[in-house]
Amino acid sequence: YMKAILKAVNIDSHITLVNAGRDKARMITEFPANQFNHAILCVPVNTDTLWLECTSQQFPAGFIGSLTDDRDVLVITENGGHVRRTKSYGSDENLQVRKCEIKVLSEESAEVSISTQHQGIFYDEMQRILNLDDIDKKKEIEQKFKSLNFKLETFQFTDKHSPVPEICEKIEMNMNNLINTAGEFLIFAPNQFTKQEPLARNIKKRNSDIWINHGYTQTDTVNYVLPDNLIFHETSLNNSFKSIFGEYFFKTEILDNKLLYIRKFKLSKGVYPKNSYAEFVDFFNQIAKNDNIKIRVNRK
């Protein structure tokens, strides 16, 4: 249908067969066979190519999502079939950028404002939530932050269509028990929202290489303000490290009763040898450890 619409306004397009799915199965070009389960549309545009996911009524034109991106496809033309590669979304396009303002009212409660931009494959994942009603949207948000003790006050989603689209998520909440008692000190974790879970180490023998299908970048910027009767005990903290799998850093800047926490994690797409699995686990576990640092607070 889309091909016919484009033809009516003299725009060429070609039916394109693709094996859709998150696993990105390799096309065997040496042997003719039915290796496809889906069709998209290829629209040649000057020196570039526009890929249209016509099945989705939500994706903006030109965005194909993680089910059909970065893989060999069979473009069917009047002169026969040609193997082409669909667009790959890189770690500079797959972005989750979160900015938070946290006003600590007391040792028991805080007012929290969060604005998060979901771009690229993160847009793909958020699209499902965008199409829910408000009751189910609220359930999804509460599930995402289930480890926190909070009450959701307001939320809003904005869909921005562009070649690499984004969904902006704005949340207001009240958090309880942000600060905990540890002996004579009060402590809290400056990273509340984007935490890496530790990976298991009990793999004795790995048979397959490590496939990272999508690279991405996560950035968190969190501003804390303490009430007048509390003050940060720590001096500024920071750490950074790199691996073949990506890079990570965090830092804190503390001045009187204000703290700025910045975290950035960049994961690199690629296929890595199976004998590097121990390094893979260590890299993610080091991130998990740094994501759980604690800051001490004093009463004035």
Side-chain angles (χ1 to χ4, degrees):
Y1 182 58
M2 177 61 75
K3 180 176 173 64
I5 291 175
L6 293 175
K7 184 178 180 180
V9 290
N10 298 317
I11 296 177
D12 291 332
S13 63
H14 309 295
I15 299 294
T16 301
L17 300 180
V18 56
N19 189 344
R22 298 192 182 276
D23 292 337
K24 295 185 181 179
R26 185 180 72 87
M27 182 191 297
I28 304 173
T29 57
E30 301 84 5
F31 183 74
N34 182 11
Q35 305 175 53
F36 314 106
N37 58 14
H38 189 52
I40 57 177
L41 204 60
C42 171
V43 183
V45 182
N46 297 328
T47 59
D48 203 353
T49 299
L50 183 68
W51 303 98
L52 299 181
E53 174 53 86
C54 304
T55 305
S56 173
Q57 297 181 19
Q58 284 78 39
F59 280 178
F63 180 71
I64 54 178
S66 60
L67 295 183
T68 54
D69 76 320
D70 189 28
R71 69 199 68 203
D72 289 335
V73 294
L74 184 63
V75 180
I76 301 173
T77 73
E78 295 80 2
N79 299 317
H82 303 276
V83 176
R84 297 282 302 277
R85 190 87 178 170
T86 56
K87 177 175 173 56
S88 173
Y89 299 96
S91 55
D92 294 329
E93 296 172 299
N94 299 325
L95 301 176
Q96 179 184 281
V97 180
R98 179 169 285 142
K99 297 181 179 180
C100 308
E101 300 287 339
I102 299 181
K103 183 178 181 181
V104 181
L105 304 177
S106 68
E107 296 176 21
E108 291 80 27
S109 66
E111 294 178 347
V112 182
S113 175
I114 309 171
S115 176
T116 310
Q117 293 174 303
H118 306 269
Q119 186 173 325
I121 62 168
F122 292 105
Y123 175 94
D124 195 348
E125 296 169 358
M126 289 295 296
Q127 183 63 239
R128 176 184 60 84
I129 299 176
L130 189 69
N131 295 311
L132 300 175
D133 60 30
D134 284 350
I135 294 176
D136 287 334
K137 282 178 181 175
K138 182 179 179 182
K139 290 179 180 177
E140 289 285 344
I141 295 170
E142 291 173 340
Q143 176 65 22
K144 178 166 60 175
F145 297 117
K146 65 180 180 180
S147 62
L148 305 178
N149 186 349
F150 75 98
K151 179 183 177 184
L152 183 62
E153 296 294 335
T154 64
F155 59 88
Q156 179 183 10
F157 295 89
T158 304
D159 191 359
K160 181 181 178 181
H161 285 190
S162 59
V164 183
E166 68 180 50
I167 290 173
C168 182
E169 173 190 35
K170 293 187 177 181
I171 297 172
E172 305 282 341
M173 66 170 70
N174 289 321
M175 286 184 62
N176 298 318
N177 302 322
L178 177 66
I179 299 177
N180 298 299
T181 302
E184 61 181 294
F185 293 105
L186 304 171
I187 63 171
F188 82 102
N191 181 12
Q192 292 287 324
F193 307 107
T194 311
K195 291 188 178 184
Q196 173 62 46
E197 294 295 326
L199 300 183
R201 295 176 176 269
N202 58 353
I203 301 294
K204 295 181 179 179
K205 181 180 179 182
R206 184 177 178 88
N207 296 319
S208 302
D209 290 336
I210 303 166
W211 288 69
I212 299 178
N213 286 332
H214 292 99
Y216 60 78
T217 302
Q218 295 174 321
T219 303
D220 285 59
T221 304
V222 188
N223 284 287
Y224 289 88
V225 179
L226 293 182
D228 292 337
N229 65 320
L230 298 177
I231 190 169
F232 290 106
H233 175 84
E234 311 287 351
T235 57
S236 297
L237 303 174
N238 63 82
N239 195 13
S240 64
F241 46 89
K242 294 182 179 180
S243 135
I244 59 173
F245 305 105
E247 55 189 76
Y248 171 93
F249 90 89
F250 86 87
K251 70 175 183 178
T252 63
E253 296 178 1
I254 298 174
L255 179 63
D256 296 329
N257 66 335
K258 296 181 180 180
L259 179 146
L260 172 65
Y261 171 81
I262 299 175
R263 173 195 188 270
K264 184 175 181 180
F265 170 46
K266 183 175 182 179
L267 182 67
S268 300
K269 168 191 164 184
V271 180
Y272 302 92
K274 60 186 178 183
N275 59 11
S276 64
Y277 184 71
E279 181 182 352
F280 178 81
V281 171
D282 288 342
F283 176 61
F284 277 90
N285 285 348
Q286 192 176 3
I287 294 173
K289 179 180 178 181
N290 281 271
D291 279 350
N292 283 284
I293 62 158
K294 301 296 190 296
I295 298 289
R296 290 183 292 177
V297 177
N298 290 342
R299 297 184 182 93
K300 286 186 178 179

